[in-house]
Amino acid sequence: MKKRLLYLIPAIFLLSGCGKSVSISINLPGSESKISESSDTDESEVTDAQKATDATKESEKKGVDMLDANVYYKPQDGYQPPENVIPQIRADNKKLEDTVKKINSVWTSDYSKIQLTRYDSNIFSLLIDTVTVDNAASSEELRGVNISSRTGKELKITAVLKDANTLYEKLMSDHDFVDNYDDIDNFGEKLKSVLIEPDAFTDGENKNSDVAWSLSNGALMIYMLENTKYGKQSVSIPIDYIKYKEFFKPDILTLPDDYAFKIIPDREMTVNIGGTERRVEVDEDIDEYGVLQEVELKIDGVKREYKDDSYSYGITDAYIFKKGNSAYLYLELTYDNDYRSIKVIDLNNDEQSDIRECFADTAPLNPNKFYLGERVATISTVNVERKYTLGEEGSPEALENYYTIVTPVSLVAKIELSGERLKGINGDYDSSITLPVGILLTPVGSDNETFTDYSTSSGDIIRIPMQKSSDGEITINGRDVRDVFDGTFFAG
């Protein structure tokens, strides 16, 4: 069986390497694990770290709620899409305004990728991974952003861990753990800098931008650069909450009732299924032609095999959705032309289904409201996303009949067009408008049936009606969309 490690690589690259097995445990509601807090924090550490911890004490009593955030892309000032498009983050929390501004204007470029790892009323955490190229050799720069959602202050590692020195010694004495990362230069020193040297990081970045950390719903995630045949690429190192529970402060372990978390194929994770913690591992069988033959799922060592005849090239991403006593595995598969879809497996029983959606740029962390993406052909072939909730039998149910277009496309009108000016994206009607020949329009949203919304260079949002035939052909005012716009593109 061929095994592959999924690295944290921006979407502009599709590279894979070989991985080794790592065990991860997740603290889930219903677990009988007890958390006790020691009192060995140095007085020098009782500053912003202690204040951040104190600010979350009340949340432990009231419970923790998921908050809304999403990743999107926009061109830099002075450019039109698809040139110089950079990732941005949007978060519904005034305490995070300064951090969001730094992310969007200083810390990202058109070679960056933002991976949101946790966002609730306790913690806002993400990884920024930026690809760099020097003399045709690629590398990456890493930055972890870890903020208290209640104070807006940066969380140092001292606000996360207790007795970090002992944790470091415990990890380094575990030969299996260390052997997993033998391709990382100076692994021990880098791990030490994360765990016990908080001053080694400024705004989540060390001096060489080659080590970072974030918090997920299941682990302290440490990121380092590993040597591969493609150059240096980032690899994630989980320090899981349950296995090392005595080293984590209680507010870090306090999670919402329902949540989702990323898993890596070939790695075992403990999951709450029906109120019982069980070991789950996902694997894939890839043949000599690089085609997926079957998905292998192990629960407490008992194997389930799911044959695949879709000619997929394998798993690109995987998440477990935990809602109430139910748990579902979402496996994203990739195909020719970067087409992707999702296989849903019910971890409570043996049922599976396939959906045409794929994961969006925003990681699905909240089963009650998350983004999924899809490739559709409307006025052009574009990638879209919309909000869903976890429905019956684990299938996603749309929360809205509006698709946000995330593919940066610039279209030039060949004909005069009539439309409606809206009060914001998918907003209420404002006034009628006639658009001249030659106007530059960027599609921003659609219902994929009767209209598409566009933004103009002045920032106006214009809705233009369209017609969709039974065979999927799009027309505007009775004309083929290719005769209406320059810049359309339709993938095969």
Side-chain angles (χ1 to χ4, degrees):
M1 184 166 288
K2 181 178 179 181
K3 298 186 178 182
R4 302 184 300 179
L5 172 64
L6 297 184
Y7 291 93
L8 297 166
I9 307 173
I12 57 175
F13 293 103
L14 185 58
L15 306 173
S16 62
C18 294
K20 301 173 182 176
S21 181
V22 179
S23 177
I24 306 175
S25 298
I26 300 297
N27 184 23
L28 295 167
S31 169
E32 297 180 357
S33 300
K34 302 294 184 181
I35 307 296
S36 61
E37 183 173 6
S38 66
S39 58
D40 55 357
T41 305
D42 294 338
E43 288 188 9
S44 60
E45 298 173 348
V46 187
T47 53
D48 286 342
Q50 187 60 51
K51 293 177 183 177
T53 301
D54 292 342
T56 61
K57 295 299 184 182
E58 189 64 24
S59 71
E60 293 179 41
K61 301 175 183 178
K62 297 181 179 179
V64 178
D65 297 320
M66 283 288 187
L67 300 181
D68 283 337
N70 74 290
V71 176
Y72 65 101
Y73 286 80
K74 77 166 192 175
Q76 291 177 303
D77 293 341
Y79 292 90
Q80 293 295 332
E83 295 181 353
N84 291 71
V85 177
I86 59 177
Q88 307 278 276
I89 188 77
R90 184 184 293 116
D92 62 342
N93 186 342
K94 291 186 178 297
K95 298 288 186 180
L96 301 177
E97 287 180 350
D98 289 344
T99 298
V100 168
K101 184 176 181 180
K102 289 179 181 178
I103 294 171
N104 292 344
S105 61
V106 180
W107 294 341
T108 53
S109 74
D110 52 336
Y111 289 97
S112 297
K113 181 180 180 180
I114 296 175
Q115 182 187 22
L116 189 65
T117 59
R118 182 168 173 175
Y119 185 32
D120 54 43
S121 52
N122 265 357
I123 294 165
F124 173 74
S125 189
L126 57 81
L127 171 71
I128 301 173
D129 190 339
T130 302
V131 172
T132 61
V133 179
D134 184 18
N135 295 325
S138 68
S139 186
E140 300 180 38
E141 295 180 350
L142 307 174
R143 181 190 296 271
V145 178
N146 302 286
I147 306 295
S148 166
S149 298
R150 297 187 178 274
T151 68
K153 301 294 185 182
E154 181 181 17
L155 289 175
K156 292 290 189 177
I157 198 68
T158 49
V160 175
L161 296 175
K162 304 179 294 183
D163 197 8
N165 285 286
T166 303
L167 173 60
Y168 172 73
E169 293 170 359
K170 185 180 183 71
L171 293 172
M172 292 303 297
S173 64
D174 184 340
H175 296 298
D176 291 336
F177 174 82
V178 174
D179 287 347
N180 284 325
Y181 309 107
D182 54 8
D183 289 329
I184 299 176
D185 295 334
N186 303 314
F187 172 73
E189 289 302 312
K190 291 176 180 178
L191 180 65
K192 183 178 181 180
S193 72
V194 172
L195 299 180
I196 62 179
E197 298 175 4
D199 293 337
F201 293 83
T202 302
D203 288 330
E205 184 180 50
N206 78 341
K207 63 180 181 180
N208 296 320
S209 302
D210 60 352
V211 181
W213 63 275
S214 74
L215 296 167
S216 77
N217 287 329
L220 163 65
M221 301 300 299
I222 299 174
Y223 311 96
M224 299 184 189
L225 297 185
E226 181 178 65
N227 296 315
T228 76
K229 63 181 180 180
Y230 303 107
K232 289 188 175 182
Q233 297 172 359
S234 60
V235 62
S236 58
I237 304 162
I239 312 298
D240 75 72
Y241 294 152
I242 291 300
K243 185 175 182 179
Y244 303 102
K245 59 182 178 294
E246 69 270 25
F247 298 104
F248 287 97
K249 296 189 176 181
D251 52 300
I252 302 302
L253 302 176
T254 305
L255 298 172
D257 292 335
D258 302 327
Y259 55 89
F261 47 89
K262 184 173 184 173
I263 65 169
I264 306 296
D266 308 334
R267 298 188 180 187
E268 188 177 85
M269 176 173 285
T270 302
V271 181
N272 188 317
I273 303 176
T276 302
E277 289 189 354
R278 306 179 70 181
R279 294 176 289 108
V280 174
E281 182 181 354
V282 179
D283 204 349
E284 56 184 353
D285 183 5
I286 304 292
D287 68 15
E288 65 270 26
Y289 304 106
V291 176
L292 177 67
Q293 297 300 300
E294 69 179 23
V295 172
E296 182 182 283
L297 173 65
K298 292 180 182 178
I299 300 181
D300 292 337
V302 178
K303 184 187 298 185
R304 302 180 189 173
E305 294 179 346
Y306 301 88
K307 299 293 183 182
D308 187 88
D309 57 2
S310 66
Y311 297 99
S312 164
Y313 296 124
I315 301 170
T316 54
D317 220 343
Y319 280 81
I320 287 179
F321 288 70
K322 192 277 178 189
K323 185 172 183 178
N325 286 328
S326 298
Y328 302 92
L329 174 64
Y330 273 44
L331 298 176
E332 183 184 72
L333 307 181
T334 187
Y335 303 85
D336 284 331
N337 299 317
D338 197 32
Y339 176 78
R340 296 171 293 158
S341 66
I342 291 176
K343 180 181 293 294
V344 180
I345 297 176
D346 189 336
L347 297 179
N348 301 272
N349 52 53
D350 202 31
E351 296 180 0
Q352 66 163 325
S353 60
D354 296 290
I355 60 175
R356 66 176 185 268
E357 290 84 4
C358 61
F359 292 129
D361 293 314
T362 304
L365 304 180
N366 180 4
N368 298 306
K369 184 163 61 176
F370 58 95
Y371 291 90
L372 290 178
E374 188 178 349
R375 178 182 291 179
V376 300
T378 58
I379 40 76
S380 185
T381 296
V382 292
N383 293 323
V384 298
E385 64 181 27
R386 63 175 173 172
K387 294 178 183 178
Y388 293 82
T389 187
L390 197 66
E392 294 293 329
E393 300 178 351
S395 296
E397 295 181 356
L399 292 173
E400 56 188 1
N401 189 32
Y402 188 81
Y403 296 88
T404 298
I405 297 174
V406 297
T407 301
V409 178
S410 292
L411 304 178
V412 178
K414 293 182 177 182
I415 64 173
E416 187 177 89
L417 294 165
S418 297
E420 298 177 347
R421 182 184 284 110
L422 303 181
K423 297 177 181 179
I425 296 178
N426 199 26
D428 294 332
Y429 171 84
D430 182 74
S431 60
S432 298
I433 188 172
T434 300
L435 303 173
V437 175
I439 189 171
L440 184 68
L441 298 172
T442 299
V444 295
S446 177
D447 69 347
N448 200 25
E449 293 286 343
T450 64
F451 67 82
T452 297
D453 295 342
Y454 308 79
S455 66
T456 67
S457 56
S458 63
D460 288 335
I461 303 298
I462 309 298
R463 176 165 293 178
I464 299 175
M466 67 183 191
Q467 300 78 44
K468 190 172 186 178
S469 66
S470 58
D471 59 1
E473 292 295 321
I474 300 295
T475 58
I476 296 177
N477 294 335
R479 299 192 183 191
D480 186 283
V481 69
R482 300 172 185 86
D483 298 324
V484 176
F485 293 116
D486 272 328
T488 59
F489 170 79
F490 292 92

